[in-house]
Amino acid sequence: MKEEKPWSAVYREVFMLMEKNSNAVFKESGITSAQMGVLITLDLSRKPFVTMKELEKKMCLAQSTVAGLVARLEQKGLVECGQDVNDRRIKWVKRSEAGVQLCEYTRREMHRMDHDYLKDLTPQEREEFIRLLRKVRESLGEEENRE
């Protein structure tokens, strides 16, 4: 009898395939999935700008990692950075107009890919799949990171 893979191994395989597909879309724009993660996080914040500390917390990444991602995005003209006028220790970042346009393009592509990923599921299976994913996320205690 063939041994079943643990669900976490299947999840990892699915995640890796989705990451590969996403990277192909991002490569066309000259950015990585991690860099796109910054832009998406800024987009989801619905604020004019986000402090670097907020970005680190929302992305669950180290300060040095976020600083490197933001620096590369700034070089590409996709974000703008600045300092708080009252406290120069506080650094902020926001999407440039080019960053906003890239997010809009990526949102359309991701929507298309989401549809493709779930195309073999019935509408009921899709609803159940999404409900179960949300339930797992909640059990992991990450509800507060959702925007």
Side-chain angles (χ1 to χ4, degrees), residues 23-102:
N23 280 333
V25 170
F26 303 145
K27 187 175 182 180
E28 294 172 12
S29 303
I31 64 171
T32 65
S33 61
Q35 292 167 351
M36 192 65 220
V38 171
L39 292 174
I40 291 169
T41 302
L42 293 172
D43 180 50
L44 293 175
S45 77
R46 307 281 189 239
K47 294 165 42 176
F49 61 85
V50 174
T51 68
M52 293 291 280
K53 283 280 185 216
E54 289 174 302
L55 199 53
E56 294 162 21
K57 184 178 178 184
K58 287 179 182 291
M59 297 186 72
C60 300
L61 294 173
Q63 183 274 331
S64 58
T65 303
V66 172
L69 291 168
V70 168
R72 286 186 287 286
L73 288 168
E74 188 174 27
Q75 289 171 350
K76 294 174 186 196
L78 297 171
V79 299
E80 298 169 3
C81 300
Q83 292 179 314
D84 186 280
V85 292
N86 298 319
D87 187 345
R88 300 193 54 76
R89 295 172 298 175
I90 299 174
K91 297 180 180 1
W92 55 262
V93 61
K94 69 177 187 174
R95 294 176 302 155
S96 66
E97 184 55 38
V100 170
Q101 290 175 5
L102 180 58

Side-chain angles (χ1 to χ4, degrees), residues 115-143:
H115 180 268
D116 289 349
Y117 296 153
L118 303 181
K119 72 179 184 249
D120 293 333
L121 300 179
T122 68
Q124 295 81 12
E125 289 171 331
R126 267 181 286 208
E127 284 181 29
E128 182 68 2
F129 177 69
I130 292 166
R131 186 187 71 74
L132 291 170
L133 283 176
R134 286 183 177 136
K135 192 171 185 176
V136 170
R137 180 189 61 208
E138 289 169 14
S139 73
L140 294 172
E142 292 298 318
E143 185 69 18

Side-chain angles (χ1 to χ4, degrees), residues 4-42:
E4 287 287 320
K5 288 183 184 179
W7 75 266
S8 57
V10 175
Y11 164 80
R12 180 83 176 142
E13 291 171 353
V14 169
F15 176 81
M16 296 301 285
L17 289 168
M18 290 174 65
E19 187 82 1
K20 180 181 174 185
N21 292 338
S22 297
N23 280 333
V25 170
F26 303 145
K27 187 175 182 180
E28 294 172 12
S29 303
I31 64 171
T32 65
S33 61
Q35 292 167 351
M36 192 65 220
V38 171
L39 292 174
I40 291 169
T41 302
L42 293 172

